[in-house]
Amino acid sequence: MMKWHGAIGAAAAAVLTISPAAAQRGADGEVKILYWQAPSILNPYLSSGVKDVEASSVVLEPLASYDEKGDMVARLAVEVPTLANGGMAADLKSITWKLKPGITWSDGTPLTAEDVVFTAEYCMAPGGGCSKLSAFTDVEKVEAADPLTVKISFKSAKPFPYGPFVGGESAILQKAQFKDCLGAKAAQCTKENFAPIGTGPFKVAEFRANDSIRYVANDKYRDPAKPAFASIYMKGGGDPASAARAVLETGEFDYAWNTQVEPEILERMAKAGKGEVITAFGNYLERMHLNFTNSRPEAGDKRSVYGDGSNPHPVLKDPAMRRALALAIDRQLLVDTGYGASGRVTCNIVPAPEVYTSTAVDWCKTPDIEKANKILDEAGWKKGSDGIRVKDGVRASLLYQTSTNSVRQATQALIKQMWGDIGVATELRNIAGSVFFGADPSSPDTSQKFFADIEMFAWTYVGTDPETNLGGSTCKEIPEPKTNWLGTNFSRYCNPAYDKLAAELAQTADLAARAALVKKMNDMLVEDGVMIPLIYRGRISAISNKLAGHRHNAWDVELWNVADWTRKK
């Protein structure tokens, strides 16, 4: 079997080990956490927002997680199945997971293989709009061989079979709780989605959507000495600067997630001595999505709906426009002004690990206003008396949206100026993160609904293998009303040639061949102008000097080892 870079090494069959710091469950009182993008749901399958996956991860657990080094470690499973230990079939068409005996849900009932089977059925159910469906690509069936054994069979050889049930995005749901929430009913199960029963170290005591969550220690958790904290208070809302300040300067909170603040401001806050700024690089990418469908209000019911492909965007349907927009951006300036050491210029949709990074699209690293103008001139986009280009009666005017954040608003302002230099008018819009990354299918302001021409946000995925990430840009992942606007193909890009490469990647084992396919898919997305990569970001958060046991993880959810957290004495 090939060696997977950063995914399964010597620790392939390791069980998630926990430091022995905590001697008594609940002895350290309450830990206070700030997620300024307030969670809106606690079901990771019904949201594309990282905030919601993070919030659910302290309750719901997967079979295996990725640790801070990018290595896969068993969680609910006894070990990570491999060819060497017999967990993977020799023909690579199935994988068998063994559950740890004795694990119970927080209501005291036993975790069984039937719960795992049900979770697959839940995500794969037609009409459910599961946002993590790409993790189940090529799954033929999931079955319980016995109460503690789950077998996943694939339609063809699956060299990397760790999409389902690995990482915080693919946690196990309790069948007894969610059995009446399949398909179109999934989004209607408010009680279940707001208070899932889990196997994790904490359980939900109170959930106020888009505001706050209070968790209490799970008294049925498998380690009797953990968690050390009796409760978690997770507060949402505000902005990155106030979140960072609450940890670094005032000490009101113990941990603040995603403190995307200008580096000089963070440095000044840290001098108060109450906490520190921590950064880890994984695969976090700040990027722009270009809407391939007509997102204008006049499109009516077809607004941002791909349908049969006959609803193209009036401006962005021109590949010359998409290329010019990418060329006009000075990424180094964006890094220097908003990110400092926590950001790096990139032209790749897959920015890491290095084995998968392409150099074929490095043209974007050098901004070229002159070339961008020439491309638009030659494509027939003529400047009007106001300096804005027009072609076939269509004005080059774009609505550019993102979440509310000082760094993102500064980035928007700079890019608006850059695009102005090539004759493109830009209207800026920012939306509260809890709404923009929310899961409400009725809201017109979510990133999935994408009622704008351009949108910008950071994207990440669990683990080091990009198959699932790239699979998110296939035709079947396009958000539409029939999927409750869930799906990860935000740009509404549908290319059979790309889908064919995705299918080939799913069946390719050789690392060199696999890397070649990843680069080809990456380059296709960049060259076609589906997305405009901007900045390879580190995951930056703030942590109190009084908090111990945290291991900053850029390859999975940041709260992946919250059971280990303790209060320094």
Side-chain angles (χ1 to χ4, degrees), residues 354-366:
E354 187 176 355
V355 66
Y356 294 126
T357 58
S358 172
T359 57
V361 289
D362 279 358
W363 51 264
C364 95
K365 289 184 176 180
T366 305

mmCIF file with all atom_site columns, all heavy atoms in Angstrom, residues 354-366:
data_model
loop_
_atom_site.group_PDB
_atom_site.id
_atom_site.type_symbol
_atom_site.label_atom_id
_atom_site.label_alt_id
_atom_site.label_comp_id
_atom_site.label_asym_id
_atom_site.label_entity_id
_atom_site.label_seq_id
_atom_site.pdbx_PDB_ins_code
_atom_site.Cartn_x
_atom_site.Cartn_y
_atom_site.Cartn_z
_atom_site.occupancy
_atom_site.B_iso_or_equiv
_atom_site.pdbx_formal_charge
_atom_site.auth_seq_id
_atom_site.auth_comp_id
_atom_site.auth_asym_id
_atom_site.auth_atom_id
_atom_site.pdbx_PDB_model_num
ATOM 1   N N   . GLU A 1 354 ? 2.588  19.958 0.054   1.00 0.00 ? 354 GLU A N   1
ATOM 2   C CA  . GLU A 1 354 ? 3.417  20.349 -1.079  1.00 0.00 ? 354 GLU A CA  1
ATOM 3   C C   . GLU A 1 354 ? 3.319  19.375 -2.245  1.00 0.00 ? 354 GLU A C   1
ATOM 4   O O   . GLU A 1 354 ? 3.403  19.761 -3.416  1.00 0.00 ? 354 GLU A O   1
ATOM 5   C CB  . GLU A 1 354 ? 4.877  20.481 -0.633  1.00 0.00 ? 354 GLU A CB  1
ATOM 6   C CG  . GLU A 1 354 ? 5.788  21.050 -1.696  1.00 0.00 ? 354 GLU A CG  1
ATOM 7   C CD  . GLU A 1 354 ? 7.209  21.255 -1.196  1.00 0.00 ? 354 GLU A CD  1
ATOM 8   O OE1 . GLU A 1 354 ? 7.450  21.040 0.009   1.00 0.00 ? 354 GLU A OE1 1
ATOM 9   O OE2 . GLU A 1 354 ? 8.080  21.625 -2.004  1.00 0.00 ? 354 GLU A OE2 1
ATOM 10  N N   . VAL A 1 355 ? 3.125  18.084 -1.963  1.00 0.00 ? 355 VAL A N   1
ATOM 11  C CA  . VAL A 1 355 ? 3.063  17.078 -3.022  1.00 0.00 ? 355 VAL A CA  1
ATOM 12  C C   . VAL A 1 355 ? 1.929  17.370 -4.000  1.00 0.00 ? 355 VAL A C   1
ATOM 13  O O   . VAL A 1 355 ? 1.986  16.981 -5.165  1.00 0.00 ? 355 VAL A O   1
ATOM 14  C CB  . VAL A 1 355 ? 2.906  15.665 -2.424  1.00 0.00 ? 355 VAL A CB  1
ATOM 15  C CG1 . VAL A 1 355 ? 1.566  15.499 -1.729  1.00 0.00 ? 355 VAL A CG1 1
ATOM 16  C CG2 . VAL A 1 355 ? 3.088  14.585 -3.488  1.00 0.00 ? 355 VAL A CG2 1
ATOM 17  N N   . TYR A 1 356 ? 0.913  18.100 -3.551  1.00 0.00 ? 356 TYR A N   1
ATOM 18  C CA  . TYR A 1 356 ? -0.247 18.382 -4.394  1.00 0.00 ? 356 TYR A CA  1
ATOM 19  C C   . TYR A 1 356 ? -0.260 19.797 -4.974  1.00 0.00 ? 356 TYR A C   1
ATOM 20  O O   . TYR A 1 356 ? -1.175 20.140 -5.720  1.00 0.00 ? 356 TYR A O   1
ATOM 21  C CB  . TYR A 1 356 ? -1.528 18.185 -3.590  1.00 0.00 ? 356 TYR A CB  1
ATOM 22  C CG  . TYR A 1 356 ? -1.787 16.751 -3.165  1.00 0.00 ? 356 TYR A CG  1
ATOM 23  C CD1 . TYR A 1 356 ? -2.007 16.431 -1.824  1.00 0.00 ? 356 TYR A CD1 1
ATOM 24  C CD2 . TYR A 1 356 ? -1.836 15.722 -4.096  1.00 0.00 ? 356 TYR A CD2 1
ATOM 25  C CE1 . TYR A 1 356 ? -2.263 15.128 -1.431  1.00 0.00 ? 356 TYR A CE1 1
ATOM 26  C CE2 . TYR A 1 356 ? -2.089 14.413 -3.706  1.00 0.00 ? 356 TYR A CE2 1
ATOM 27  C CZ  . TYR A 1 356 ? -2.294 14.118 -2.373  1.00 0.00 ? 356 TYR A CZ  1
ATOM 28  O OH  . TYR A 1 356 ? -2.544 12.821 -1.989  1.00 0.00 ? 356 TYR A OH  1
ATOM 29  N N   . THR A 1 357 ? 0.678  20.642 -4.619  1.00 0.00 ? 357 THR A N   1
ATOM 30  C CA  . THR A 1 357 ? 0.620  22.030 -5.048  1.00 0.00 ? 357 THR A CA  1
ATOM 31  C C   . THR A 1 357 ? 1.171  22.219 -6.453  1.00 0.00 ? 357 THR A C   1
ATOM 32  O O   . THR A 1 357 ? 2.250  21.740 -6.789  1.00 0.00 ? 357 THR A O   1
ATOM 33  C CB  . THR A 1 357 ? 1.366  22.954 -4.071  1.00 0.00 ? 357 THR A CB  1
ATOM 34  O OG1 . THR A 1 357 ? 2.728  22.528 -3.956  1.00 0.00 ? 357 THR A OG1 1
ATOM 35  C CG2 . THR A 1 357 ? 0.724  22.920 -2.699  1.00 0.00 ? 357 THR A CG2 1
ATOM 36  N N   . SER A 1 358 ? 0.421  22.955 -7.246  1.00 0.00 ? 358 SER A N   1
ATOM 37  C CA  . SER A 1 358 ? 0.774  23.196 -8.647  1.00 0.00 ? 358 SER A CA  1
ATOM 38  C C   . SER A 1 358 ? 1.571  24.491 -8.797  1.00 0.00 ? 358 SER A C   1
ATOM 39  O O   . SER A 1 358 ? 1.431  25.421 -8.001  1.00 0.00 ? 358 SER A O   1
ATOM 40  C CB  . SER A 1 358 ? -0.506 23.292 -9.482  1.00 0.00 ? 358 SER A CB  1
ATOM 41  O OG  . SER A 1 358 ? -0.230 23.704 -10.802 1.00 0.00 ? 358 SER A OG  1
ATOM 42  N N   . THR A 1 359 ? 2.399  24.538 -9.833  1.00 0.00 ? 359 THR A N   1
ATOM 43  C CA  . THR A 1 359 ? 3.104  25.780 -10.184 1.00 0.00 ? 359 THR A CA  1
ATOM 44  C C   . THR A 1 359 ? 2.640  26.301 -11.535 1.00 0.00 ? 359 THR A C   1
ATOM 45  O O   . THR A 1 359 ? 3.063  27.364 -11.971 1.00 0.00 ? 359 THR A O   1
ATOM 46  C CB  . THR A 1 359 ? 4.630  25.547 -10.233 1.00 0.00 ? 359 THR A CB  1
ATOM 47  O OG1 . THR A 1 359 ? 4.917  24.497 -11.178 1.00 0.00 ? 359 THR A OG1 1
ATOM 48  C CG2 . THR A 1 359 ? 5.171  25.155 -8.871  1.00 0.00 ? 359 THR A CG2 1
ATOM 49  N N   . ALA A 1 360 ? 1.733  25.559 -12.183 1.00 0.00 ? 360 ALA A N   1
ATOM 50  C CA  . ALA A 1 360 ? 1.301  25.913 -13.535 1.00 0.00 ? 360 ALA A CA  1
ATOM 51  C C   . ALA A 1 360 ? 0.443  27.174 -13.568 1.00 0.00 ? 360 ALA A C   1
ATOM 52  O O   . ALA A 1 360 ? 0.281  27.786 -14.630 1.00 0.00 ? 360 ALA A O   1
ATOM 53  C CB  . ALA A 1 360 ? 0.530  24.742 -14.150 1.00 0.00 ? 360 ALA A CB  1
ATOM 54  N N   . VAL A 1 361 ? -0.112 27.560 -12.415 1.00 0.00 ? 361 VAL A N   1
ATOM 55  C CA  . VAL A 1 361 ? -0.980 28.743 -12.390 1.00 0.00 ? 361 VAL A CA  1
ATOM 56  C C   . VAL A 1 361 ? -0.334 29.903 -11.638 1.00 0.00 ? 361 VAL A C   1
ATOM 57  O O   . VAL A 1 361 ? -1.027 30.826 -11.193 1.00 0.00 ? 361 VAL A O   1
ATOM 58  C CB  . VAL A 1 361 ? -2.344 28.386 -11.762 1.00 0.00 ? 361 VAL A CB  1
ATOM 59  C CG1 . VAL A 1 361 ? -3.143 27.505 -12.697 1.00 0.00 ? 361 VAL A CG1 1
ATOM 60  C CG2 . VAL A 1 361 ? -2.176 27.707 -10.407 1.00 0.00 ? 361 VAL A CG2 1
ATOM 61  N N   . ASP A 1 362 ? 0.976  29.865 -11.531 1.00 0.00 ? 362 ASP A N   1
ATOM 62  C CA  . ASP A 1 362 ? 1.680  30.910 -10.786 1.00 0.00 ? 362 ASP A CA  1
ATOM 63  C C   . ASP A 1 362 ? 1.617  32.279 -11.460 1.00 0.00 ? 362 ASP A C   1
ATOM 64  O O   . ASP A 1 362 ? 2.105  33.271 -10.901 1.00 0.00 ? 362 ASP A O   1
ATOM 65  C CB  . ASP A 1 362 ? 3.141  30.517 -10.553 1.00 0.00 ? 362 ASP A CB  1
ATOM 66  C CG  . ASP A 1 362 ? 3.312  29.561 -9.382  1.00 0.00 ? 362 ASP A CG  1
ATOM 67  O OD1 . ASP A 1 362 ? 2.300  29.246 -8.736  1.00 0.00 ? 362 ASP A OD1 1
ATOM 68  O OD2 . ASP A 1 362 ? 4.451  29.125 -9.122  1.00 0.00 ? 362 ASP A OD2 1
ATOM 69  N N   . TRP A 1 363 ? 1.021  32.327 -12.650 1.00 0.00 ? 363 TRP A N   1
ATOM 70  C CA  . TRP A 1 363 ? 0.858  33.619 -13.319 1.00 0.00 ? 363 TRP A CA  1
ATOM 71  C C   . TRP A 1 363 ? 0.087  34.604 -12.445 1.00 0.00 ? 363 TRP A C   1
ATOM 72  O O   . TRP A 1 363 ? 0.261  35.817 -12.553 1.00 0.00 ? 363 TRP A O   1
ATOM 73  C CB  . TRP A 1 363 ? 0.140  33.464 -14.663 1.00 0.00 ? 363 TRP A CB  1
ATOM 74  C CG  . TRP A 1 363 ? -1.151 32.686 -14.627 1.00 0.00 ? 363 TRP A CG  1
ATOM 75  C CD1 . TRP A 1 363 ? -1.322 31.369 -14.907 1.00 0.00 ? 363 TRP A CD1 1
ATOM 76  C CD2 . TRP A 1 363 ? -2.457 33.192 -14.276 1.00 0.00 ? 363 TRP A CD2 1
ATOM 77  N NE1 . TRP A 1 363 ? -2.652 30.999 -14.767 1.00 0.00 ? 363 TRP A NE1 1
ATOM 78  C CE2 . TRP A 1 363 ? -3.369 32.098 -14.386 1.00 0.00 ? 363 TRP A CE2 1
ATOM 79  C CE3 . TRP A 1 363 ? -2.944 34.432 -13.900 1.00 0.00 ? 363 TRP A CE3 1
ATOM 80  C CZ2 . TRP A 1 363 ? -4.731 32.231 -14.118 1.00 0.00 ? 363 TRP A CZ2 1
ATOM 81  C CZ3 . TRP A 1 363 ? -4.294 34.576 -13.624 1.00 0.00 ? 363 TRP A CZ3 1
ATOM 82  C CH2 . TRP A 1 363 ? -5.175 33.484 -13.736 1.00 0.00 ? 363 TRP A CH2 1
ATOM 83  N N   . CYS A 1 364 ? -0.755 34.093 -11.562 1.00 0.00 ? 364 CYS A N   1
ATOM 84  C CA  . CYS A 1 364 ? -1.586 34.990 -10.755 1.00 0.00 ? 364 CYS A CA  1
ATOM 85  C C   . CYS A 1 364 ? -0.790 35.698 -9.666  1.00 0.00 ? 364 CYS A C   1
ATOM 86  O O   . CYS A 1 364 ? -1.262 36.667 -9.081  1.00 0.00 ? 364 CYS A O   1
ATOM 87  C CB  . CYS A 1 364 ? -2.766 34.228 -10.166 1.00 0.00 ? 364 CYS A CB  1
ATOM 88  S SG  . CYS A 1 364 ? -2.522 33.597 -8.502  1.00 0.00 ? 364 CYS A SG  1
ATOM 89  N N   . LYS A 1 365 ? 0.419  35.211 -9.377  1.00 0.00 ? 365 LYS A N   1
ATOM 90  C CA  . LYS A 1 365 ? 1.200  35.823 -8.307  1.00 0.00 ? 365 LYS A CA  1
ATOM 91  C C   . LYS A 1 365 ? 1.692  37.223 -8.670  1.00 0.00 ? 365 LYS A C   1
ATOM 92  O O   . LYS A 1 365 ? 2.003  38.026 -7.786  1.00 0.00 ? 365 LYS A O   1
ATOM 93  C CB  . LYS A 1 365 ? 2.396  34.930 -7.957  1.00 0.00 ? 365 LYS A CB  1
ATOM 94  C CG  . LYS A 1 365 ? 2.016  33.634 -7.247  1.00 0.00 ? 365 LYS A CG  1
ATOM 95  C CD  . LYS A 1 365 ? 3.240  32.841 -6.836  1.00 0.00 ? 365 LYS A CD  1
ATOM 96  C CE  . LYS A 1 365 ? 2.860  31.599 -6.056  1.00 0.00 ? 365 LYS A CE  1
ATOM 97  N NZ  . LYS A 1 365 ? 4.033  30.799 -5.634  1.00 0.00 ? 365 LYS A NZ  1
ATOM 98  N N   . THR A 1 366 ? 1.768  37.520 -9.961  1.00 0.00 ? 366 THR A N   1
ATOM 99  C CA  . THR A 1 366 ? 2.240  38.828 -10.421 1.00 0.00 ? 366 THR A CA  1
ATOM 100 C C   . THR A 1 366 ? 1.071  39.619 -10.984 1.00 0.00 ? 366 THR A C   1
ATOM 101 O O   . THR A 1 366 ? 0.571  39.306 -12.069 1.00 0.00 ? 366 THR A O   1
ATOM 102 C CB  . THR A 1 366 ? 3.318  38.672 -11.503 1.00 0.00 ? 366 THR A CB  1
ATOM 103 O OG1 . THR A 1 366 ? 4.376  37.854 -11.004 1.00 0.00 ? 366 THR A OG1 1
ATOM 104 C CG2 . THR A 1 366 ? 3.859  40.032 -11.917 1.00 0.00 ? 366 THR A CG2 1
#
